[in-house]
């Protein structure tokens, strides 16, 4: 039995979540082939599944042709810049009603981020409301590209999550400098980034209260990053056979 056969034999499939499995190019291709024409699946989560740029090309066809997906998570899938560019092309052709996209921890930089920004900013029927790019080393150049999204009124994005993306003081001002109450963005998550204490104090006391968009900042970015890493280790039960049975 192939992945395509299994997906097609479950016409009422609503959620498909695969974690920490190396599918390989053959099974992944069959899986994506089955998902392209599936009419009921609402949530697709591939977490820790090694996709790479080639897998991103296969997922691109799913995004372009599937019209039932509402939430897609491709976290820690080693997409890299080339893979995210493929996902962006799929978004540009998407004719469904997808609202949530997560691309966390894929080692995405600023090199091909412009394609994702172009897909979000062009006039289309894309209903994406929540984009999560946390854990990617975007840096200052990535902030410059994402500033175009914040400054655009062509999208419907209400939440942009950029935790632990190596955004410094200059990157912070590139992002918040484009905020406007006339645009749909309501939450900008910049926690766990090295933004200075004085800047945080100034923003919260003077500038932040005057804007509708809620900008989330960490009081102690390094401490918050360590606590998040510790929590991830404590909650990782992959080495245990049946963690759900533990009291």
């Amino acid at each position: 039995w192939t992945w395509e056969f299994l997906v097609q034999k479950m016409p009422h499939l609503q959620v498909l979540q695969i974690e920490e499995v190396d599918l390989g190019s053959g099974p992944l291709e069959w899986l994506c082939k089955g998902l392209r024409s599936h009419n009921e699946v609402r949530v697709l989560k591939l977490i820790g599944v090694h996709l790479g740029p080639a897998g991103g090309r296969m997922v691109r066809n799913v995004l372009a042709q599937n019209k039932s997906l509402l939430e897609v998570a491709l976290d820690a899938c080693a997409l890299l810049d080339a893979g995210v560019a493929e996902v962006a092309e799929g978004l540009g052709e998407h004719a469904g009603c997808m609202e949530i996209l997560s691309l966390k921890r894929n080692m995405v930089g600023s090199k091909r981020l412009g394609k994702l920004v172009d897909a979000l900013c062009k006039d289309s029927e894309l209903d994406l409301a929540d984009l999560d790019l946390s854990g990617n080393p975007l840096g200052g150049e990535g902030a410059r590209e994402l500033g175009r999204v914040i400054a655009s009124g062509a999208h419907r994005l209400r939440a942009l999550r950029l935790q632990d993306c190596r955004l410094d003081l200059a990157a912070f001002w590139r992002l918040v400098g484009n905020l406007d109450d006339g645009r749909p963005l309501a939450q900008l998550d910049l926690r766990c980034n090295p933004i200075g204490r004085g800047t945080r104090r100034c923003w919260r006391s003077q500038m932040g209260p005057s804007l509708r968009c809620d900008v989330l900042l960490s009081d102690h970015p390094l401490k918050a990053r360590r606590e998040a890493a510790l929590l991830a280790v404590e909650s990782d039960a992959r080495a245990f056979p049946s963690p759900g049975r533990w009291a």
Side-chain angles (χ1 to χ4, degrees):
W1 288 3
T2 64
W3 279 98
E4 180 191 14
F5 178 82
L6 291 175
V7 171
Q8 289 179 346
K9 286 299 180 180
M10 294 184 287
H12 301 295
L13 177 68
Q14 297 284 316
V15 178
L16 177 60
Q17 180 168 338
I18 303 175
E19 296 189 22
E20 307 296 339
V21 176
D22 189 358
L23 292 174
S25 59
L28 179 62
E29 183 177 1
W30 285 110
L31 175 64
C32 291
K33 187 176 180 181
L35 288 172
R36 289 203 300 263
S37 58
H38 204 285
N39 296 321
E40 296 292 335
V41 62
R42 298 289 186 265
V43 178
L44 172 63
K45 292 187 178 182
L46 303 179
I47 302 173
V49 177
H50 183 80
L51 298 178
R57 191 176 304 115
M58 299 178 196
V59 174
R60 176 193 67 186
N61 296 327
V62 175
L63 297 179
Q65 299 179 30
N66 186 287
K67 297 182 179 181
S68 64
L69 283 169
L70 295 177
E71 178 180 354
V72 175
L74 307 173
D75 298 339
C77 290
L79 287 173
L80 307 179
D81 292 316
V84 168
E86 297 288 352
V87 171
E89 290 191 17
L91 276 181
E93 301 172 9
H94 184 69
C97 50
M98 186 170 62
E99 298 179 356
I100 302 174
L101 175 63
S102 177
L103 299 171
K104 297 188 293 185
R105 305 186 305 280
N106 277 294
M107 292 303 295
V108 178
S110 59
K111 187 176 180 181
R112 308 287 288 277
L113 193 61
K115 287 199 171 184
L116 181 59
V117 172
D118 291 340
L120 292 171
C121 293
K122 75 174 185 179
D123 293 328
S124 66
E125 297 180 357
L126 187 64
D127 292 327
L128 193 67
D130 192 317
L131 175 62
D132 195 341
L133 293 171
S134 299
N136 292 298
L138 302 178
E141 291 303 316
R144 188 191 302 275
E145 292 289 350
L146 291 172
R148 291 167 48 202
V149 176
I150 298 176
S152 173
H155 59 81
R156 297 176 177 86
L157 204 63
R158 295 192 296 272
L160 179 59
R161 309 182 194 281
L162 303 172
Q163 293 188 34
D164 194 14
C165 288
R166 301 183 186 178
L167 303 177
D168 57 11
L169 179 61
F172 170 77
W173 289 114
R174 284 174 181 170
L175 293 170
V176 300
N178 290 303
L179 292 174
D180 190 292
D181 288 345
R183 302 189 185 105
L185 191 66
Q187 185 182 90
L188 179 60
D189 191 347
L190 301 177
R191 289 176 291 182
C192 298
N193 283 294
I195 299 170
R197 182 182 303 174
T199 302
R200 296 195 301 270
R201 186 184 303 114
C202 176
W203 177 261
R204 288 169 175 166
S205 63
Q206 299 180 20
M207 304 181 67
S210 63
L211 291 172
R212 181 180 63 85
C213 181
D214 187 14
V215 180
L216 305 181
L217 301 170
S218 295
D219 289 328
H220 304 283
L222 294 178
K223 181 180 178 181
R225 186 184 302 173
R226 287 195 298 268
E227 290 177 349
L230 182 60
L231 181 61
V233 172
E234 291 177 347
S235 61
D236 187 359
R238 289 174 296 175
F240 301 99
S242 301
R245 298 182 181 179
W246 288 31

